[in-house]
Amino acid sequence: MSRSPSQLAPGTWAPARRIAERVLGPIDRFLHVEAASGIVLLIASVVALAWANSPWGDAYEHLWHIPITIGVGSLVFTQSLHFWINEGLMTIFFFVVGLEIRREIHEGELSDLKRAALPVAAAVGGMLAPALVYLSLNSSPVSRHGWGVPTATDIAFAVGVLALLGKRVPPALRVLLLALAIIDDIGAIIVIALFYSSGVAWSGLLIAGGGALAVLLLQRFGVRSPLAYVAPGAVVWWGMLRAGVHPTIAGVAIGLLTPVRSWFGSHGFLAAARDAVDRVAALIERDDHRTDDLLKPLGRIRLAQREALAPVVRLQAALHPWVAYGIMPLFAFANAGVRVDGSSLDHAASGTILLGVMLGLVVGKPIGIFLASFAMVRLGVCALPRGVGWRGIAVVGCVAGIGFTMAIFIAGLAFDDAAKLAAAKLGVLLASAVAAVVGLVVGRLALSVAPAPGAALTPSEAEASTEQ
């Protein structure tokens, strides 16, 4: 007679399990809220700001200079905690960005030229206009290097703000923002690689190329375990660092090399799982079977389960929570602690840097996105998604002014001087707060709760929606 498994694992104490469910249940529900990662980022930033401006502010500064050594034997590499966060952990963030770009090119908004035309135009306009606004205020050599700071959009915060607008935001508008933010990330990666890297050392590029070649060879040999790619990925990272190219670009490169096709697929998974279940059923009907006889068919089920999805999808799903709730908040905590006591703005160029970043994000982003989209639609190059009007494009432009993670990251590359860096970071934080509020206000005033006639009602319909 078959027995159904108990609701509790062996050895579990029922009262303790109920307490755990009561404590962890609300946390689990919170983490599934779309705006949750943005809220965690905000909390980390507020804590960093409060600590940096408290009587214990010096401890905050000293914390990030703690040296950390990684190595084996005589091969050691020592850098500060701040380095390992910004250049180490953020490589995983950029790897997830690379995975998303790869997936979008294969099957998302970027897989079709007609669908991609509008977000590409909007993203380009949303990068050029902020840069021009910044440069109009910062023409001197000491400050103009920060033109790339206001060009970046923070996808977590932007999507979170749209989520707060609820049913007012049609799925097509959210898909448009996601596609725009992804293209914006591509632009930011290009900007970092071309304009915020030191002189290129070809020996480092050869090392990085060797690591990338090793990745491709492993794929040709049919190696599917993600752990096997950690070592060649580390070689690419080290080569980028040696070359003078920012090492986080290695994450993007490996992400773009990740396979987008599944091995088993959904139908293959079903066939393999049914065959394995049949084998398990045949084994347990035998009186002389041993529990370790189940290892092979159960292993087949695990393999089929893993390979039912493409590696790019599986890795993105596995890493996204760690990036959203771990790496990005830690980055914000390590970089958002700006002292606001006047000393951060005592440099002659600090005021114009702060103003340039703020106006670039709050004013330049929405103007650039709106005008570029309007021009391309009027020229007949692309069309608005069904049910999305110009009011929706204006809302997207407003929330795209939330720079935060990527903008702060670029600020750290643009400025070595502490006062100018503090001014740029403060400008990003203030602009992101203003853009979020403006986006919410404009969204509530401009968008209707009732869906427009013919509007896509699901994300799948939205991704196929290219015409009014």
PDB file of all heavy atoms in Angstrom, residues 174-207:
ATOM      1  N   ARG A 174       4.875  48.349 -18.532  1.00  0.00           N
ATOM      2  CA  ARG A 174       5.921  47.755 -17.690  1.00  0.00           C
ATOM      3  C   ARG A 174       6.968  47.041 -18.548  1.00  0.00           C
ATOM      4  O   ARG A 174       8.164  47.153 -18.297  1.00  0.00           O
ATOM      5  CB  ARG A 174       5.286  46.770 -16.710  1.00  0.00           C
ATOM      6  CG  ARG A 174       6.283  46.140 -15.751  1.00  0.00           C
ATOM      7  CD  ARG A 174       5.588  45.173 -14.804  1.00  0.00           C
ATOM      8  NE  ARG A 174       6.542  44.537 -13.927  1.00  0.00           N
ATOM      9  CZ  ARG A 174       7.262  43.470 -14.233  1.00  0.00           C
ATOM     10  NH1 ARG A 174       7.122  42.926 -15.441  1.00  0.00           N
ATOM     11  NH2 ARG A 174       8.110  42.944 -13.383  1.00  0.00           N
ATOM     12  N   VAL A 175       6.507  46.306 -19.565  1.00  0.00           N
ATOM     13  CA  VAL A 175       7.433  45.618 -20.471  1.00  0.00           C
ATOM     14  C   VAL A 175       8.323  46.641 -21.183  1.00  0.00           C
ATOM     15  O   VAL A 175       9.524  46.423 -21.351  1.00  0.00           O
ATOM     16  CB  VAL A 175       6.661  44.762 -21.491  1.00  0.00           C
ATOM     17  CG1 VAL A 175       7.580  44.252 -22.590  1.00  0.00           C
ATOM     18  CG2 VAL A 175       5.990  43.587 -20.786  1.00  0.00           C
ATOM     19  N   LEU A 176       7.729  47.774 -21.576  1.00  0.00           N
ATOM     20  CA  LEU A 176       8.510  48.824 -22.234  1.00  0.00           C
ATOM     21  C   LEU A 176       9.591  49.357 -21.303  1.00  0.00           C
ATOM     22  O   LEU A 176      10.742  49.545 -21.722  1.00  0.00           O
ATOM     23  CB  LEU A 176       7.584  49.958 -22.672  1.00  0.00           C
ATOM     24  CG  LEU A 176       8.276  51.194 -23.281  1.00  0.00           C
ATOM     25  CD1 LEU A 176       9.030  50.823 -24.551  1.00  0.00           C
ATOM     26  CD2 LEU A 176       7.253  52.288 -23.571  1.00  0.00           C
ATOM     27  N   LEU A 177       9.236  49.586 -20.026  1.00  0.00           N
ATOM     28  CA  LEU A 177      10.231  50.075 -19.071  1.00  0.00           C
ATOM     29  C   LEU A 177      11.343  49.052 -18.867  1.00  0.00           C
ATOM     30  O   LEU A 177      12.525  49.409 -18.809  1.00  0.00           O
ATOM     31  CB  LEU A 177       9.570  50.409 -17.738  1.00  0.00           C
ATOM     32  CG  LEU A 177      10.536  50.822 -16.613  1.00  0.00           C
ATOM     33  CD1 LEU A 177      11.262  52.108 -16.976  1.00  0.00           C
ATOM     34  CD2 LEU A 177       9.805  50.984 -15.287  1.00  0.00           C
ATOM     35  N   LEU A 178      10.978  47.772 -18.761  1.00  0.00           N
ATOM     36  CA  LEU A 178      11.990  46.726 -18.589  1.00  0.00           C
ATOM     37  C   LEU A 178      12.946  46.691 -19.775  1.00  0.00           C
ATOM     38  O   LEU A 178      14.175  46.617 -19.600  1.00  0.00           O
ATOM     39  CB  LEU A 178      11.311  45.362 -18.413  1.00  0.00           C
ATOM     40  CG  LEU A 178      10.577  45.131 -17.096  1.00  0.00           C
ATOM     41  CD1 LEU A 178       9.779  43.839 -17.161  1.00  0.00           C
ATOM     42  CD2 LEU A 178      11.563  45.082 -15.939  1.00  0.00           C
ATOM     43  N   ALA A 179      12.392  46.741 -20.990  1.00  0.00           N
ATOM     44  CA  ALA A 179      13.239  46.726 -22.183  1.00  0.00           C
ATOM     45  C   ALA A 179      14.118  47.967 -22.240  1.00  0.00           C
ATOM     46  O   ALA A 179      15.308  47.886 -22.561  1.00  0.00           O
ATOM     47  CB  ALA A 179      12.363  46.631 -23.439  1.00  0.00           C
ATOM     48  N   LEU A 180      13.540  49.123 -21.913  1.00  0.00           N
ATOM     49  CA  LEU A 180      14.313  50.372 -21.911  1.00  0.00           C
ATOM     50  C   LEU A 180      15.456  50.288 -20.905  1.00  0.00           C
ATOM     51  O   LEU A 180      16.590  50.692 -21.202  1.00  0.00           O
ATOM     52  CB  LEU A 180      13.379  51.532 -21.575  1.00  0.00           C
ATOM     53  CG  LEU A 180      13.930  52.962 -21.663  1.00  0.00           C
ATOM     54  CD1 LEU A 180      12.781  53.930 -21.944  1.00  0.00           C
ATOM     55  CD2 LEU A 180      14.618  53.388 -20.362  1.00  0.00           C
ATOM     56  N   ALA A 181      15.156  49.765 -19.700  1.00  0.00           N
ATOM     57  CA  ALA A 181      16.186  49.672 -18.663  1.00  0.00           C
ATOM     58  C   ALA A 181      17.296  48.708 -19.064  1.00  0.00           C
ATOM     59  O   ALA A 181      18.479  48.948 -18.768  1.00  0.00           O
ATOM     60  CB  ALA A 181      15.553  49.234 -17.346  1.00  0.00           C
ATOM     61  N   ILE A 182      16.930  47.621 -19.747  1.00  0.00           N
ATOM     62  CA  ILE A 182      17.949  46.665 -20.187  1.00  0.00           C
ATOM     63  C   ILE A 182      18.865  47.308 -21.232  1.00  0.00           C
ATOM     64  O   ILE A 182      20.093  47.170 -21.174  1.00  0.00           O
ATOM     65  CB  ILE A 182      17.279  45.399 -20.750  1.00  0.00           C
ATOM     66  CG1 ILE A 182      16.604  44.622 -19.611  1.00  0.00           C
ATOM     67  CG2 ILE A 182      18.294  44.508 -21.465  1.00  0.00           C
ATOM     68  CD1 ILE A 182      15.659  43.557 -20.094  1.00  0.00           C
ATOM     69  N   ILE A 183      18.276  48.023 -22.192  1.00  0.00           N
ATOM     70  CA  ILE A 183      19.091  48.717 -23.195  1.00  0.00           C
ATOM     71  C   ILE A 183      19.918  49.808 -22.537  1.00  0.00           C
ATOM     72  O   ILE A 183      21.075  50.050 -22.902  1.00  0.00           O
ATOM     73  CB  ILE A 183      18.192  49.288 -24.305  1.00  0.00           C
ATOM     74  CG1 ILE A 183      17.447  48.154 -25.006  1.00  0.00           C
ATOM     75  CG2 ILE A 183      19.011  50.064 -25.327  1.00  0.00           C
ATOM     76  CD1 ILE A 183      16.298  48.611 -25.858  1.00  0.00           C
ATOM     77  N   ASP A 184      19.326  50.458 -21.535  1.00  0.00           N
ATOM     78  CA  ASP A 184      20.058  51.460 -20.772  1.00  0.00           C
ATOM     79  C   ASP A 184      21.269  50.823 -20.087  1.00  0.00           C
ATOM     80  O   ASP A 184      22.356  51.420 -20.034  1.00  0.00           O
ATOM     81  CB  ASP A 184      19.114  52.076 -19.736  1.00  0.00           C
ATOM     82  CG  ASP A 184      19.717  53.269 -19.013  1.00  0.00           C
ATOM     83  OD1 ASP A 184      20.458  53.060 -18.032  1.00  0.00           O
ATOM     84  OD2 ASP A 184      19.439  54.397 -19.426  1.00  0.00           O
ATOM     85  N   ASP A 185      21.081  49.604 -19.555  1.00  0.00           N
ATOM     86  CA  ASP A 185      22.208  48.885 -18.942  1.00  0.00           C
ATOM     87  C   ASP A 185      23.291  48.579 -19.973  1.00  0.00           C
ATOM     88  O   ASP A 185      24.492  48.677 -19.678  1.00  0.00           O
ATOM     89  CB  ASP A 185      21.721  47.581 -18.309  1.00  0.00           C
ATOM     90  CG  ASP A 185      21.001  47.811 -16.990  1.00  0.00           C
ATOM     91  OD1 ASP A 185      21.171  48.892 -16.406  1.00  0.00           O
ATOM     92  OD2 ASP A 185      20.258  46.913 -16.550  1.00  0.00           O
ATOM     93  N   ILE A 186      22.864  48.195 -21.185  1.00  0.00           N
ATOM     94  CA  ILE A 186      23.844  47.951 -22.250  1.00  0.00           C
ATOM     95  C   ILE A 186      24.631  49.220 -22.529  1.00  0.00           C
ATOM     96  O   ILE A 186      25.865  49.200 -22.655  1.00  0.00           O
ATOM     97  CB  ILE A 186      23.134  47.462 -23.530  1.00  0.00           C
ATOM     98  CG1 ILE A 186      22.452  46.115 -23.296  1.00  0.00           C
ATOM     99  CG2 ILE A 186      24.135  47.344 -24.686  1.00  0.00           C
ATOM    100  CD1 ILE A 186      21.612  45.640 -24.463  1.00  0.00           C
ATOM    101  N   GLY A 187      23.916  50.349 -22.615  1.00  0.00           N
ATOM    102  CA  GLY A 187      24.591  51.624 -22.837  1.00  0.00           C
ATOM    103  C   GLY A 187      25.555  51.956 -21.725  1.00  0.00           C
ATOM    104  O   GLY A 187      26.677  52.430 -21.962  1.00  0.00           O
ATOM    105  N   ALA A 188      25.125  51.703 -20.467  1.00  0.00           N
ATOM    106  CA  ALA A 188      26.002  51.988 -19.333  1.00  0.00           C
ATOM    107  C   ALA A 188      27.242  51.111 -19.365  1.00  0.00           C
ATOM    108  O   ALA A 188      28.356  51.572 -19.048  1.00  0.00           O
ATOM    109  CB  ALA A 188      25.227  51.765 -18.030  1.00  0.00           C
ATOM    110  N   ILE A 189      27.071  49.851 -19.755  1.00  0.00           N
ATOM    111  CA  ILE A 189      28.229  48.946 -19.853  1.00  0.00           C
ATOM    112  C   ILE A 189      29.204  49.446 -20.912  1.00  0.00           C
ATOM    113  O   ILE A 189      30.423  49.431 -20.708  1.00  0.00           O
ATOM    114  CB  ILE A 189      27.741  47.518 -20.179  1.00  0.00           C
ATOM    115  CG1 ILE A 189      26.979  46.939 -18.975  1.00  0.00           C
ATOM    116  CG2 ILE A 189      28.906  46.614 -20.554  1.00  0.00           C
ATOM    117  CD1 ILE A 189      26.134  45.739 -19.326  1.00  0.00           C
ATOM    118  N   ILE A 190      28.676  49.898 -22.049  1.00  0.00           N
ATOM    119  CA  ILE A 190      29.541  50.435 -23.107  1.00  0.00           C
ATOM    120  C   ILE A 190      30.263  51.685 -22.624  1.00  0.00           C
ATOM    121  O   ILE A 190      31.461  51.876 -22.868  1.00  0.00           O
ATOM    122  CB  ILE A 190      28.703  50.737 -24.369  1.00  0.00           C
ATOM    123  CG1 ILE A 190      28.159  49.435 -24.965  1.00  0.00           C
ATOM    124  CG2 ILE A 190      29.540  51.479 -25.412  1.00  0.00           C
ATOM    125  CD1 ILE A 190      27.176  49.640 -26.091  1.00  0.00           C
ATOM    126  N   VAL A 191      29.529  52.545 -21.908  1.00  0.00           N
ATOM    127  CA  VAL A 191      30.139  53.771 -21.374  1.00  0.00           C
ATOM    128  C   VAL A 191      31.265  53.431 -20.407  1.00  0.00           C
ATOM    129  O   VAL A 191      32.352  54.020 -20.466  1.00  0.00           O
ATOM    130  CB  VAL A 191      29.062  54.639 -20.686  1.00  0.00           C
ATOM    131  CG1 VAL A 191      29.702  55.736 -19.841  1.00  0.00           C
ATOM    132  CG2 VAL A 191      28.135  55.261 -21.721  1.00  0.00           C
ATOM    133  N   ILE A 192      31.017  52.471 -19.511  1.00  0.00           N
ATOM    134  CA  ILE A 192      32.049  52.076 -18.548  1.00  0.00           C
ATOM    135  C   ILE A 192      33.273  51.520 -19.266  1.00  0.00           C
ATOM    136  O   ILE A 192      34.419  51.865 -18.944  1.00  0.00           O
ATOM    137  CB  ILE A 192      31.481  51.029 -17.571  1.00  0.00           C
ATOM    138  CG1 ILE A 192      30.425  51.669 -16.661  1.00  0.00           C
ATOM    139  CG2 ILE A 192      32.600  50.421 -16.720  1.00  0.00           C
ATOM    140  CD1 ILE A 192      29.644  50.667 -15.835  1.00  0.00           C
ATOM    141  N   ALA A 193      33.045  50.645 -20.247  1.00  0.00           N
ATOM    142  CA  ALA A 193      34.159  50.000 -20.950  1.00  0.00           C
ATOM    143  C   ALA A 193      34.981  50.996 -21.763  1.00  0.00           C
ATOM    144  O   ALA A 193      36.216  50.902 -21.807  1.00  0.00           O
ATOM    145  CB  ALA A 193      33.621  48.897 -21.860  1.00  0.00           C
ATOM    146  N   LEU A 194      34.319  51.968 -22.396  1.00  0.00           N
ATOM    147  CA  LEU A 194      35.011  52.885 -23.305  1.00  0.00           C
ATOM    148  C   LEU A 194      35.559  54.128 -22.616  1.00  0.00           C
ATOM    149  O   LEU A 194      36.637  54.622 -22.978  1.00  0.00           O
ATOM    150  CB  LEU A 194      34.076  53.305 -24.440  1.00  0.00           C
ATOM    151  CG  LEU A 194      33.611  52.206 -25.393  1.00  0.00           C
ATOM    152  CD1 LEU A 194      32.723  52.786 -26.482  1.00  0.00           C
ATOM    153  CD2 LEU A 194      34.809  51.499 -26.022  1.00  0.00           C
ATOM    154  N   PHE A 195      34.827  54.641 -21.621  1.00  0.00           N
ATOM    155  CA  PHE A 195      35.176  55.950 -21.075  1.00  0.00           C
ATOM    156  C   PHE A 195      35.638  55.921 -19.624  1.00  0.00           C
ATOM    157  O   PHE A 195      36.213  56.905 -19.157  1.00  0.00           O
ATOM    158  CB  PHE A 195      33.977  56.908 -21.202  1.00  0.00           C
ATOM    159  CG  PHE A 195      33.525  57.113 -22.617  1.00  0.00           C
ATOM    160  CD1 PHE A 195      32.411  56.436 -23.109  1.00  0.00           C
ATOM    161  CD2 PHE A 195      34.212  57.966 -23.463  1.00  0.00           C
ATOM    162  CE1 PHE A 195      31.985  56.623 -24.417  1.00  0.00           C
ATOM    163  CE2 PHE A 195      33.794  58.156 -24.771  1.00  0.00           C
ATOM    164  CZ  PHE A 195      32.680  57.489 -25.252  1.00  0.00           C
ATOM    165  N   TYR A 196      35.387  54.844 -18.909  1.00  0.00           N
ATOM    166  CA  TYR A 196      35.765  54.807 -17.506  1.00  0.00           C
ATOM    167  C   TYR A 196      36.681  53.633 -17.187  1.00  0.00           C
ATOM    168  O   TYR A 196      36.631  53.066 -16.100  1.00  0.00           O
ATOM    169  CB  TYR A 196      34.512  54.769 -16.631  1.00  0.00           C
ATOM    170  CG  TYR A 196      33.716  56.048 -16.708  1.00  0.00           C
ATOM    171  CD1 TYR A 196      32.506  56.095 -17.398  1.00  0.00           C
ATOM    172  CD2 TYR A 196      34.178  57.215 -16.128  1.00  0.00           C
ATOM    173  CE1 TYR A 196      31.780  57.271 -17.487  1.00  0.00           C
ATOM    174  CE2 TYR A 196      33.468  58.400 -16.205  1.00  0.00           C
ATOM    175  CZ  TYR A 196      32.269  58.421 -16.898  1.00  0.00           C
ATOM    176  OH  TYR A 196      31.560  59.597 -16.983  1.00  0.00           O
ATOM    177  N   SER A 197      37.482  53.278 -18.152  1.00  0.00           N
ATOM    178  CA  SER A 197      38.533  52.285 -17.937  1.00  0.00           C
ATOM    179  C   SER A 197      39.866  52.937 -18.242  1.00  0.00           C
ATOM    180  O   SER A 197      39.939  53.842 -19.087  1.00  0.00           O
ATOM    181  CB  SER A 197      38.326  51.058 -18.830  1.00  0.00           C
ATOM    182  OG  SER A 197      37.127  50.375 -18.488  1.00  0.00           O
ATOM    183  N   SER A 198      40.907  52.510 -17.567  1.00  0.00           N
ATOM    184  CA  SER A 198      42.233  53.082 -17.796  1.00  0.00           C
ATOM    185  C   SER A 198      42.798  52.539 -19.100  1.00  0.00           C
ATOM    186  O   SER A 198      42.164  51.758 -19.803  1.00  0.00           O
ATOM    187  CB  SER A 198      43.152  52.741 -16.616  1.00  0.00           C
ATOM    188  OG  SER A 198      43.204  51.345 -16.398  1.00  0.00           O
ATOM    189  N   GLY A 199      44.016  52.963 -19.428  1.00  0.00           N
ATOM    190  CA  GLY A 199      44.648  52.513 -20.658  1.00  0.00           C
ATOM    191  C   GLY A 199      44.684  50.998 -20.751  1.00  0.00           C
ATOM    192  O   GLY A 199      45.008  50.304 -19.792  1.00  0.00           O
ATOM    193  N   VAL A 200      44.310  50.475 -21.906  1.00  0.00           N
ATOM    194  CA  VAL A 200      44.167  49.032 -22.070  1.00  0.00           C
ATOM    195  C   VAL A 200      45.525  48.353 -22.191  1.00  0.00           C
ATOM    196  O   VAL A 200      46.369  48.765 -23.001  1.00  0.00           O
ATOM    197  CB  VAL A 200      43.312  48.712 -23.316  1.00  0.00           C
ATOM    198  CG1 VAL A 200      43.244  47.217 -23.543  1.00  0.00           C
ATOM    199  CG2 VAL A 200      41.915  49.299 -23.158  1.00  0.00           C
ATOM    200  N   ALA A 201      45.748  47.328 -21.378  1.00  0.00           N
ATOM    201  CA  ALA A 201      46.949  46.494 -21.460  1.00  0.00           C
ATOM    202  C   ALA A 201      46.575  45.221 -22.202  1.00  0.00           C
ATOM    203  O   ALA A 201      45.731  44.444 -21.739  1.00  0.00           O
ATOM    204  CB  ALA A 201      47.481  46.173 -20.065  1.00  0.00           C
ATOM    205  N   TRP A 202      47.210  45.003 -23.352  1.00  0.00           N
ATOM    206  CA  TRP A 202      46.815  43.886 -24.205  1.00  0.00           C
ATOM    207  C   TRP A 202      47.078  42.533 -23.572  1.00  0.00           C
ATOM    208  O   TRP A 202      46.393  41.555 -23.859  1.00  0.00           O
ATOM    209  CB  TRP A 202      47.526  43.997 -25.554  1.00  0.00           C
ATOM    210  CG  TRP A 202      47.044  45.170 -26.337  1.00  0.00           C
ATOM    211  CD1 TRP A 202      47.674  46.362 -26.521  1.00  0.00           C
ATOM    212  CD2 TRP A 202      45.781  45.281 -27.011  1.00  0.00           C
ATOM    213  NE1 TRP A 202      46.899  47.218 -27.274  1.00  0.00           N
ATOM    214  CE2 TRP A 202      45.731  46.575 -27.595  1.00  0.00           C
ATOM    215  CE3 TRP A 202      44.702  44.432 -27.191  1.00  0.00           C
ATOM    216  CZ2 TRP A 202      44.649  47.023 -28.326  1.00  0.00           C
ATOM    217  CZ3 TRP A 202      43.612  44.861 -27.924  1.00  0.00           C
ATOM    218  CH2 TRP A 202      43.591  46.145 -28.485  1.00  0.00           C
ATOM    219  N   SER A 203      48.081  42.471 -22.690  1.00  0.00           N
ATOM    220  CA  SER A 203      48.351  41.191 -22.020  1.00  0.00           C
ATOM    221  C   SER A 203      47.151  40.758 -21.179  1.00  0.00           C
ATOM    222  O   SER A 203      46.809  39.577 -21.117  1.00  0.00           O
ATOM    223  CB  SER A 203      49.597  41.317 -21.139  1.00  0.00           C
ATOM    224  OG  SER A 203      49.423  42.327 -20.144  1.00  0.00           O
ATOM    225  N   GLY A 204      46.507  41.734 -20.523  1.00  0.00           N
ATOM    226  CA  GLY A 204      45.322  41.428 -19.739  1.00  0.00           C
ATOM    227  C   GLY A 204      44.173  40.956 -20.609  1.00  0.00           C
ATOM    228  O   GLY A 204      43.437  40.036 -20.244  1.00  0.00           O
ATOM    229  N   LEU A 205      44.017  41.579 -21.777  1.00  0.00           N
ATOM    230  CA  LEU A 205      42.954  41.168 -22.688  1.00  0.00           C
ATOM    231  C   LEU A 205      43.188  39.755 -23.202  1.00  0.00           C
ATOM    232  O   LEU A 205      42.232  38.991 -23.421  1.00  0.00           O
ATOM    233  CB  LEU A 205      42.844  42.142 -23.865  1.00  0.00           C
ATOM    234  CG  LEU A 205      42.248  43.520 -23.554  1.00  0.00           C
ATOM    235  CD1 LEU A 205      42.149  44.349 -24.832  1.00  0.00           C
ATOM    236  CD2 LEU A 205      40.866  43.385 -22.908  1.00  0.00           C
ATOM    237  N   LEU A 206      44.455  39.387 -23.391  1.00  0.00           N
ATOM    238  CA  LEU A 206      44.764  38.021 -23.813  1.00  0.00           C
ATOM    239  C   LEU A 206      44.375  37.015 -22.732  1.00  0.00           C
ATOM    240  O   LEU A 206      43.852  35.934 -23.030  1.00  0.00           O
ATOM    241  CB  LEU A 206      46.258  37.894 -24.134  1.00  0.00           C
ATOM    242  CG  LEU A 206      46.723  38.587 -25.424  1.00  0.00           C
ATOM    243  CD1 LEU A 206      48.242  38.488 -25.553  1.00  0.00           C
ATOM    244  CD2 LEU A 206      46.039  37.954 -26.640  1.00  0.00           C
ATOM    245  N   ILE A 207      44.628  37.394 -21.464  1.00  0.00           N
ATOM    246  CA  ILE A 207      44.227  36.516 -20.361  1.00  0.00           C
ATOM    247  C   ILE A 207      42.710  36.370 -20.338  1.00  0.00           C
ATOM    248  O   ILE A 207      42.172  35.263 -20.204  1.00  0.00           O
ATOM    249  CB  ILE A 207      44.742  37.083 -19.018  1.00  0.00           C
ATOM    250  CG1 ILE A 207      46.276  37.055 -18.978  1.00  0.00           C
ATOM    251  CG2 ILE A 207      44.153  36.296 -17.847  1.00  0.00           C
ATOM    252  CD1 ILE A 207      46.865  37.743 -17.763  1.00  0.00           C
TER     253      ILE A 207
END
